[in-house]
Amino acid sequence: HLGQAVTNTYLDVLLQSELIDEKTDFELTRGYAPMLEGSYVDYRNYIESALPAESPVLFGLHPNAEIGLLISVCDSVFEAVFTLQGGGGGGDGGAAAAGGGKESVVKAILEDFESRLPDEFVMIDIKGRVREKTPYVVCVLQELERMNAVAGLMRRELTELQLGLSGALNISDAMDMLITNLHTNKVPPGWLKVCGQIGPTGTYNRKSLSLWFTDLLVRYRQLKEWAEDPQVLPPCVWLSGLFNPMGYITACLQVTARAKSLPLDSMVISTEVLEVGPDGIDEQPEEGTYVHGLFMEGARWDTEENTITDSHPKELFPPMPVIHVRGITAEEVDDEGAYQCPVYTTRIRGPTFTFAAPLRTVKPPYTWVLAGVCLVMQSD
């Protein structure tokens, strides 16, 4: 759907009647007017000689897009070099499998992770505090169970590896792979799979292992506070900290649909960007929910003008203020002056699409389609 929207937008912007009207000053791009007549050879020569050098701006993107591309290429090169330099240990058992310096590094990481890895939630106690199983309560219970699954898997694998490095167990292929992942600062695929951050097309995670683990601890902290009373929502939910953010958005729509005695499939998402950050929110609204933790890619949000606007140079992922998400009916939708901004869980687009957030824009919406503007929940 999104790919078709981009294609249609290019066609709408470029295939206009002015394209063959010699009396207009229409340009395909800045400084490149269409050639009105000539032979095939003339057109080919004109394209080869007059077409501006390829750049992000030529396709409607912000110049920052080239910076982002170069950073990604750089990261990939250094990751490949570091992985090749680190090598891999054999699987013949004991400490020898990890190899000298690598073993000491991995042991230090193991000790650090085991000391900071939180205990699993006691679900029986938490469910005992539930007075009514609302959609929000169902959502938080699912998040708690997912966190328990992640923490439990990590603890088991780290404990087994500790025994393997001490010589109490033989180093298996799985342990050897974990050693390599810990040494190269990459998140093990098994951990990502439990988190829902890996799929048929590959990993959706862009974080290094150390940043990913820190992020996991912050997720745990939000869930721990929420689990104290599952019936009461946090004043502003860190949407990026949920394993299934769309589950929370769906819960919001379900609550509204039930309150208005409407079918769920008649509800659509409405968003309003506030002027404050999460610290400026004391409680949830009467209708809908407050969320934060989103970043904009390809543009930025102008709080003073309450609209999407061009990015500042070298500012790749400006944070968004708090967003008020509500469920409304299709009859209440007003698309005029709104850009249907896709929201992704990470910078890897496509399979990480969550929902489309209508955001106010003064410029024509096609401006942001061509610029590839979206909201992401993880900026790294």
Side-chain angles (χ1 to χ4, degrees):
H1 171 70
L2 294 175
Q4 183 180 4
V6 172
T7 303
N8 290 341
T9 300
Y10 272 115
L11 294 175
D12 291 341
V13 171
L14 297 178
L15 297 185
Q16 300 185 24
S17 58
E18 291 86 351
L19 190 64
I20 55 175
D21 187 350
E22 59 184 12
K23 296 180 180 179
T24 67
D25 55 359
F26 176 75
E27 294 181 327
L28 291 168
T29 187
R30 187 176 300 174
Y32 186 62
M35 185 175 176
L36 297 179
E37 60 181 24
S39 65
Y40 169 78
V41 175
D42 294 334
Y43 275 100
R44 188 178 67 181
N45 292 336
Y46 179 70
I47 292 171
E48 292 178 351
S49 62
L51 185 66
E54 189 172 296
S55 69
V57 178
L58 191 64
F59 298 95
L61 299 169
H62 191 275
N64 285 349
E66 190 166 15
I67 299 175
L69 172 63
L70 295 176
I71 291 175
S72 297
V73 171
C74 231
D75 288 343
S76 298
V77 171
F78 278 104
E79 181 182 350
V81 170
F82 188 68
T83 301
L84 292 173
Q85 185 183 42
D92 296 331
K102 182 191 287 189
E103 179 185 347
S104 59
V105 171
V106 171
K107 279 187 174 180
I109 296 173
L110 275 174
E111 292 173 1
D112 176 54
F113 278 20
E114 288 185 324
S115 65
R116 293 194 292 154
L117 189 63
D119 296 328
E120 297 174 34
F121 292 104
V122 183
M123 296 303 297
I124 294 179
D125 293 345
I126 295 174
K127 290 179 179 179
R129 294 196 286 270
V130 173
R131 299 181 295 279
E132 180 185 359
K133 215 165 186 182
T134 65
Y136 288 130
V137 170
V138 172
C139 177
V140 71
L141 291 178
Q142 291 174 346
E143 291 290 322
L144 292 168
E145 289 171 352
R146 181 74 69 92
M147 178 61 76
N148 279 354
V150 176
L153 176 63
M154 292 178 64
R155 182 170 286 105
R156 287 194 303 274
E157 293 193 351
L158 293 174
T159 301
E160 289 177 0
L161 183 56
Q162 192 76 272
L163 293 173
L165 293 175
S166 66
L169 291 176
N170 289 330
I171 297 290
S172 64
D173 291 341
M175 290 183 191
D176 191 44
M177 182 59 67
L178 181 56
I179 289 171
T180 301
N181 286 326
L182 293 177
H183 186 251
T184 56
N185 203 22
K186 295 176 67 175
V187 186
W191 300 1
L192 292 175
K193 185 175 181 180
V194 177
C195 291
Q197 296 175 349
I198 196 169
T201 58
T203 177
Y204 310 144
N205 174 63
R206 295 291 295 267
K207 292 181 180 292
S208 63
L209 176 59
S210 53
L211 290 177
W212 180 88
F213 185 63
T214 301
D215 179 80
L216 186 72
L217 297 180
V218 181
R219 290 174 183 242
Y220 183 92
R221 194 178 308 132
Q222 174 176 250
L223 291 176
K224 184 178 180 181
E225 294 174 358
W226 193 349
E228 292 297 323
D229 187 352
Q231 302 291 156
V232 180
L233 288 173
C236 185
V237 173
W238 179 38
L239 190 64
S240 310
L242 301 179
F243 294 109
N244 181 19
M246 189 58 205
Y248 182 77
I249 298 298
T250 302
C252 171
L253 300 181
Q254 287 176 324
V255 169
T256 304
R258 291 182 182 182
K260 297 183 177 181
S261 301
L262 296 170
L264 179 61
D265 57 9
S266 69
M267 307 300 295
V268 294
I269 297 172
S270 171
T271 56
E272 178 187 358
V273 183
L274 307 186
E275 298 181 356
V276 297
D279 294 337
I281 300 297
D282 297 324
E283 60 181 358
Q284 288 283 349
E286 293 183 3
E287 182 179 342
T289 181
Y290 291 142
V291 299
H292 70 280
L294 300 176
F295 302 85
M296 184 169 283
E297 183 177 15
R300 65 182 176 89
W301 183 260
D302 189 329
T303 304
E304 294 182 358
E305 299 296 331
N306 191 34
T307 182
I308 308 174
T309 191
D310 292 325
S311 300
H312 291 308
K314 300 181 182 179
E315 189 179 43
L316 303 185
F317 301 99
M320 290 288 290
V322 172
I323 298 178
H324 182 191
V325 179
R326 295 188 303 122
I328 61 175
T329 61
E331 290 75 19
E332 299 175 87
V333 174
D334 183 8
D335 286 334
E336 181 151 3
Y339 166 59
Q340 295 295 327
C341 184
V343 181
Y344 300 95
T345 54
T346 72
R347 288 166 53 197
I348 299 176
R349 305 190 185 190
T352 66
F353 175 78
T354 306
F355 65 97
L359 299 179
R360 184 176 180 273
T361 174
V362 175
K363 293 184 177 181
Y366 71 75
T367 305
W368 312 120
V369 176
L370 297 180
V373 175
C374 70
L375 294 177
V376 296
M377 300 184 193
Q378 303 286 344
S379 61
D380 52 9

